[in-house]
Amino acid sequence: MNEDHSTASAVKVSHLVKRYGDMLALDYFDLDVRQGEIFGLLGPNGSGKTTAINCILALLTFDAGTVRVFGEPIGPTSYALKRRIGIVPQNIAVFNELTVEENIDYFCSLYVADKVRRHTLVNEALDFVGLRDYRGFRPSKLSGGLLRRLNIACGIAHRPDLIFFDEPTVAVDPQSRNAILEGIKQLSREGATVIYTSHYMEEVEQICDRILIMDHGRHLALGTADELKAMIDTGERISVETANLGGAADGSNTAAMLKRLRDLPFVLEAVYDGRELTVRCRNGEHNLIDVLNILESSGTNIGHLTSRQPTLNDVFLELTGTALRD
């Protein structure tokens, strides 16, 4: 991830309101993306992400608020601004009748009229996504991972300053996923600003400089991954495999043991399903030793044990009530 970014805004959204009839899709939504950063925009399905992006791109009108891109208001006819923007949609958006090279050239031609310049850009895009050897293939002959790379090449061939990536790694193999993520980081190193949406929390944590979580059309939380984790109550989560919680094989001591654990000042929750004990602790505390001491003193047989710190998925669950893939 980048360490140093300009404080200038690439995208600034202020008090944005969008209604669809009686439904409020964006509720005075705010967003400020700095130039040069990889910015994660996260939210459950129906949270307003797509509506917000379409308003930023001037594909939708809105009821109130302002949208500025690189300091300028954007509208349907802001063609100079739109030439600086690239979009990589979640759904594959290429023409099956055209070859890989022809697809990239077509999408690049929407922004760059000069054929000589476009030829150079298309070759650079082919090299960037590793498709030079497939330039004559039609999309139907490509694997899912290579199709995703083609989708990216079509969105970035004109060298945009601002790029929207909407779940670009859905249903691709790990090798292609890594190539895509490394490519996005390279684009950022070369000066592009990236707005990235995904349901894969490990990807977001790996590449995003800052992350905004939204729901019901509202801005809920903003920060780095570590800053977001520090905002929630949930901290360490301890899981212990055991068939005799409390020391009695017949389960007679289970309720008493759970009460002892729940009475610890740092414990938010302790549950047992007959095979595994899960203890959820408050943030900022490391409580494994205290929990183990109680279990061992009761004669509980301890099997496999894990302890992990909060994840972005925990943040999501606490802020929105919805768990995403982790």
Side-chain angles (χ1 to χ4, degrees):
M1 293 188 299
N2 294 337
E3 298 297 332
D4 183 29
H5 295 296
S6 168
T7 57
S9 292
V11 177
K12 189 170 182 63
V13 174
S14 300
H15 308 306
L16 200 63
V17 177
K18 173 64 181 177
R19 293 183 176 88
Y20 296 103
D22 294 333
M23 187 187 77
L24 186 60
L26 293 175
D27 187 2
Y28 294 92
F29 177 68
D30 293 323
L31 174 69
D32 190 354
V33 181
R34 301 166 185 160
Q35 290 188 27
E37 74 177 331
I38 303 177
F39 188 93
L41 180 60
L42 307 183
N45 292 331
S47 62
K49 297 191 306 295
T50 300
T51 298
I53 290 172
N54 285 338
C55 287
I56 293 168
L57 295 172
L59 299 176
L60 280 177
T61 59
F62 43 89
D63 299 287
T66 60
V67 176
R68 301 182 76 86
V69 176
F70 297 115
E72 300 178 29
I74 187 168
T77 59
S78 301
Y79 302 122
L81 269 182
K82 290 189 174 187
R83 288 189 186 96
R84 301 179 65 185
I85 300 173
I87 306 167
V88 179
Q90 177 179 348
N91 296 323
I92 302 295
V94 298
F95 296 101
N96 288 323
E97 299 82 6
L98 303 180
T99 66
V100 164
E101 183 174 13
E102 288 167 346
N103 265 288
I104 300 171
D105 182 70
Y106 170 78
F107 284 101
C108 190
S109 73
L110 300 177
Y111 304 89
V112 181
D114 182 82
K115 290 184 179 181
V116 175
R117 171 67 176 150
R118 200 163 69 238
H119 178 74
T120 300
L121 292 173
V122 169
N123 281 323
E124 289 176 353
L126 283 166
D127 288 337
F128 185 80
V129 298
L131 288 180
R132 181 175 282 271
D133 292 341
Y134 300 89
R135 64 194 310 155
F137 284 53
R138 297 194 188 279
S140 60
K141 299 298 183 181
L142 301 179
S143 67
L146 294 179
L147 262 179
R148 287 283 168 190
R149 295 193 202 183
L150 173 58
N151 210 39
I152 290 171
C154 291
I156 60 97
H158 62 292
R159 291 276 183 161
D161 298 314
L162 171 64
I163 312 170
F164 290 83
F165 284 90
D166 186 8
E167 302 211 35
T169 64
V170 170
V172 301
D173 61 275
Q175 183 178 3
S176 292
R177 174 175 286 116
N178 288 337
I180 289 168
L181 296 179
E182 286 302 317
I184 292 171
K185 289 192 286 186
Q186 181 61 33
L187 288 169
S188 178
R189 286 192 292 268
E190 292 174 359
T193 301
V194 172
I195 296 180
Y196 187 86
T197 75
S198 178
H199 284 102
Y200 295 109
M201 295 292 98
E202 73 280 5
E203 290 182 3
V204 174
E205 189 160 1
Q206 178 182 342
I207 70 169
C208 291
D209 299 294
R210 292 189 304 148
I211 302 156
L212 184 145
I213 296 175
M214 66 181 298
D215 198 13
H216 297 102
R218 296 190 298 271
H219 171 139
L220 294 183
L222 171 67
T224 65
D226 288 340
E227 287 169 346
L228 290 174
K229 292 173 191 176
M231 293 178 188
I232 64 172
D233 288 335
T234 300
E236 185 179 19
R237 187 184 294 266
I238 301 165
S239 299
V240 182
E241 289 183 0
T242 179
N244 72 329
L245 183 65
D250 61 2
S252 58
N253 293 338
T254 297
M257 173 55 63
L258 286 173
K259 184 179 185 307
R260 285 184 65 188
L261 291 168
R262 290 166 182 160
D263 285 344
L264 290 170
F266 52 78
V267 170
L268 292 171
E269 180 184 49
V271 294
Y272 180 59
D273 64 6
R275 298 182 304 276
E276 184 177 72
L277 168 71
T278 301
V279 180
R280 188 165 61 90
C281 304
R282 294 189 186 280
N283 205 350
E285 302 288 343
H286 296 279
N287 311 293
L288 179 59
I289 298 301
D290 293 330
V291 170
L292 285 178
N293 285 340
I294 288 180
L295 295 178
E296 289 173 348
S297 69
S298 70
T300 297
N301 292 325
I302 299 173
H304 182 68
L305 179 149
T306 60
S307 171
R308 68 168 178 82
Q309 294 302 308
T311 65
L312 279 180
N313 205 48
D314 294 320
V315 176
F316 226 95
L317 180 60
E318 188 162 318
L319 292 179
T320 71
T322 302
L324 295 180
R325 293 187 290 267
D326 190 14

